[in-house]
Amino acid sequence: MTTEFKALPVERDQYGYWTHPLYDEFCDDRESISPEEFNAWLDKNGLEWTVIYRDEDDADPDVDGYDISAWQPETPAGDGWFVGSIHYTEDGAVCIWLRAKP
């Protein structure tokens, strides 16, 4: 059984983080998820994804640290994209975009 994903209002916390509740439920606070498991989850839910990384040249780690509240990631080209998660990783700040497969 699939759960219909819909865009929700993105209400970022004081540090700029936010995760869609259904995406958060899937991730379940795990450090990593295998590509196979992630792709199976996307297929099960009829989704596709893309990721946008913040240009770290635009951030000052001494000032910003893990605070990404000033970052406004650009929506990918095409229709239907919504935020799955915006958070910080070991590779820097990321925004996971999701949308229903056409």
Side-chain angles (χ1 to χ4, degrees):
M1 180 171 136
T2 63
T3 303
E4 185 177 343
F5 271 78
K6 294 181 181 173
L8 296 176
V10 176
E11 298 177 11
R12 295 166 70 175
D13 69 15
Q14 66 183 9
Y15 300 108
Y17 296 51
W18 183 84
T19 301
H20 191 290
L22 295 173
Y23 184 80
D24 192 39
E25 182 180 300
F26 166 69
C27 293
D28 194 29
D29 289 328
R30 293 182 281 176
E31 283 288 317
S32 65
I33 297 168
S34 73
E36 295 80 17
E37 182 182 2
F38 186 63
N39 289 332
W41 178 81
L42 289 169
D43 288 342
K44 174 183 165 192
N45 289 287
L47 297 170
E48 60 183 350
W49 77 292
T50 192
V51 62
I52 303 290
Y53 291 88
R54 177 177 68 177
D55 183 350
E56 293 304 314
D57 292 338
D58 294 339
D60 181 348
D62 295 328
V63 174
D64 298 324
Y66 295 110
D67 185 344
I68 59 173
S69 59
W71 180 46
Q72 298 300 318
E74 189 173 321
T75 306
D79 295 328
W81 291 106
F82 61 92
V83 175
S85 185
I86 183 168
H87 58 275
Y88 202 87
T89 72
E90 63 187 29
D91 296 323
V94 300
C95 184
I96 306 296
W97 292 91
L98 302 170
R99 74 173 172 183
K101 284 185 182 176

